[in-house]
Amino acid sequence: MAAQFGRRLRKGAVTTAVAAAAVAALSASQAPGATVDDHGRSTAADAQPSPDATADDSGATGNSPYYTDLPPLNTPSPAPTDGTSTVSPVESEAGIPATVLAAYKKAAAELQASKPGCNLPWQLLAAIGQVESGQARGGRVDADGTTTSKILGPQLDGNGFELIKDTDNGAYDGDTAYDSAVGPMQFIPSTWAWAGRDGNGDGVKDPNNIYDAALATGHYLCRYDWDLSDSGDLDSAILSYNPSRHYVNTVLSWLEYYRKGTHEIPDGTGTVPGNRSDGGTGGGSTTSPSLPSTPSEPHHPSKPSPPGSPRPTPPSTTPPSSGTPTTPPPVPPATPTQTVDHLEDSGTAKLTAMAGDAFAEKISTKAENAAGKGVAKVRIRFTIVGDTDATFTGGEKVATALTDSSGVATAPALQAGETTGAFTVRATLIGRTVTGPDYPATVTQRVADTLVRTSDTALTCTPGGQFTDAVQVKATYKDAVADKVAATATLIKSADDATENDKGPYFKDADGKTVRTLTGLTTDADGLLKLPQLYADDTTGTFLLRITTAGGATLDVTLTVAAATDSSPSPSPSPSASS
């Protein structure tokens, strides 16, 4: 915790070992799984350890400050209020504003339907919302869930925080120089660009709207097929949101607290937490937090001096001059991310897949320093760009991968959707802006290479009648079922003349009119295509029905129209008369 906590302090802020130890002890005492020994000391023997955060990944919030206040020691009351009673300070701290609570529950319900394996509890969204913004600063939202004023984190200009230059042209944070975390769930604009969701159905993805932000947070936590009912996956998911061990412990404390029960309070009546991880305090403005002030010396009561004793001289606050220059502090070693000069393609093959199929090739990107040597253990973000419904495995438009010992990161497999055409996958380095490659990809239409009839029954009809059997065919591609493949059926003049015939068998349209060409046909999930009823006019003879599919598969089906054969027996000659 100390490393992360110290990393978030602005320059000039001061902490003490005593204060850090006290925060750590309090965090441990209220963390899930903590127990108390016979002497009243809290222990965490049953707690599951987690890997350290990766310093190169700033998570959803860009390592912005968060509220460190821990839950009250009393168990929250599960009884809802009617919105008219007076809310006590304890109830206000324990309760969740009505609109904010509704947003968390709505988001969790949608994730349960779309990603049931994630097992996202709404209480986890509530815990993160409490730590990030104090439940939208006590529920200060309008009826649609949008905050009444923007909630902005500090400017991420590298001065005590991450260095994230502007990525949204100031659209969300009003700053065209640097980014700031935005909204009740504190997304940085570059993360919101791919993680944002429309949670309230108004057609807009707004990080300042609690419905949108809560749904985006749910998808963010579920993006790697994590099962949040598993303690290890839960730990990893929270750590991915903000790579701080102390942050994870704080969120888990609130999660456990809300799981024991909570209650609804009126919007705008919640209590804003009082302490931030950067040493600042809560409350007050809803814009960027101010610089924390340098703590003053602690006050110690003085003992009375004996009569006649000289007054003690307070120590000078000016350091003595030694006459020699002060040795500058050592420059910390560069992180792996800081050594990356550029990203380049690492032998990715042509990216092409048929609609609905997985791409056979994966994208590989190499991070290199200025000398052309690979840089290990840095994170590369892969983002799908363009008008496409293609995704990475798991259904997300963005994936993150860690470079290996040779500096190469491999993206998850791409999955083609139903939209055909070209799109791009963009590789970027997390934590710095460097040159990176774009990967062109193409989704082609579904095709079939073979068509066969599913029956060998002869297709015959009498003039002016209708064919007894319907025409059904099966499409395959490389011996596999070819589903959702476009097809056309035409009654042609002959095998050598594909012109539409103007006589013989025909189909009927919705108005009962004669039709001899059918378009817009599609094979079903089993590759089957069953044509509508066929009829015949008064022309007799042999006719051809040609069926073609995308990809070039063609089948000619023979149709016969002939008069009925009289099968009744011939009359016997009458016997001759006897003479």
Side-chain angles (χ1 to χ4, degrees), residues 5-104:
F5 189 76
R7 184 166 169 242
R8 295 170 180 275
L9 287 177
R10 286 188 180 270
K11 293 179 180 178
V14 177
T15 58
T16 64
V18 174
V23 171
L26 187 55
S27 298
S29 69
Q30 298 195 19
T35 58
V36 179
D37 65 12
D38 294 338
H39 301 285
R41 295 186 295 259
S42 60
T43 63
D46 298 330
Q48 296 295 322
S50 72
D52 292 334
T54 302
D56 297 322
D57 191 351
S58 56
T61 69
N63 280 339
S64 293
Y66 56 90
Y67 288 116
T68 58
D69 296 32
L70 292 167
L73 296 177
N74 63 299
T75 301
S77 169
T81 66
D82 59 7
T84 59
S85 60
T86 302
V87 180
S88 70
V90 173
E91 289 176 325
S92 176
E93 186 174 14
I96 299 177
T99 300
V100 178
L101 180 59
Y104 296 150

Side-chain angles (χ1 to χ4, degrees), residues 320-327:
S321 175
S322 62
T324 58
T326 309
T327 303

Side-chain angles (χ1 to χ4, degrees), residues 245-494:
R245 184 69 257 168
H246 181 262
Y247 178 88
V248 174
N249 289 342
T250 307
V251 169
L252 289 176
S253 296
W254 281 103
L255 171 61
E256 186 72 4
Y257 181 75
Y258 287 137
R259 275 178 165 163
K260 292 177 181 178
T262 187
H263 60 277
E264 177 184 297
I265 61 174
D267 290 343
T269 64
T271 301
V272 180
N275 301 286
R276 292 202 317 264
S277 59
D278 63 344
T281 57
S285 173
T286 55
T287 56
S288 294
S290 58
L291 285 167
S293 60
T294 304
S296 59
E297 284 292 320
H299 174 72
H300 300 285
S302 59
K303 295 181 180 180
S305 301
S309 298
R311 292 177 59 87
T313 302
S316 172
T317 57
T318 304
S321 175
S322 62
T324 58
T326 309
T327 303
V331 177
T335 65
T337 300
Q338 292 170 329
T339 67
V340 176
D341 178 73
H342 61 276
L343 305 178
E344 66 176 33
D345 179 28
S346 183
T348 303
K350 185 177 181 180
L351 298 168
T352 303
M354 193 164 60
D357 288 353
F359 283 74
E361 300 294 334
K362 291 184 178 181
I363 297 172
S364 293
T365 301
K366 187 174 184 180
E368 293 187 346
N369 59 23
K373 184 178 180 181
V375 181
K377 295 184 179 181
V378 297
R379 291 189 179 274
I380 296 176
R381 178 180 292 133
F382 299 93
T383 306
I384 296 174
V385 180
D387 184 13
T388 180
D389 55 354
T391 64
F392 291 107
T393 302
E396 297 296 340
K397 292 283 189 180
V398 176
T400 302
L402 193 69
T403 57
D404 60 17
S405 58
S406 63
V408 175
T410 302
L414 282 166
Q415 175 67 42
E418 295 302 320
T419 302
T420 60
F423 65 94
T424 299
V425 179
R426 181 162 298 154
T428 55
L429 178 69
I430 294 177
R432 282 191 66 208
T433 301
V434 299
T435 302
D438 283 351
Y439 298 86
T442 304
V443 178
T444 61
Q445 64 179 338
R446 295 172 182 262
V447 298
D449 57 16
T450 305
L451 276 176
V452 295
R453 278 190 67 200
T454 58
S455 171
D456 57 4
T457 302
L459 297 166
T460 61
C461 180
T462 58
Q466 65 183 39
F467 287 81
T468 304
D469 295 316
V471 178
Q472 179 174 276
V473 297
K474 183 172 184 177
T476 57
Y477 179 71
K478 295 182 179 179
D479 298 325
V481 166
D483 61 323
K484 300 181 181 179
V485 176
T488 300
T490 305
L491 289 148
I492 60 175
K493 289 183 176 180
S494 69

Side-chain angles (χ1 to χ4, degrees), residues 122-163:
W122 67 261
Q123 292 92 339
L124 177 56
L125 299 177
I128 291 177
Q130 171 67 19
V131 172
E132 291 295 347
S133 68
Q135 311 299 13
R137 300 192 66 82
R140 289 166 176 80
V141 296
D142 62 21
D144 295 325
T146 302
T147 57
T148 54
S149 57
K150 287 187 176 181
I151 303 174
L152 298 178
Q155 187 183 59
L156 299 175
D157 58 2
N159 184 23
F161 298 104
E162 294 286 330
L163 173 60

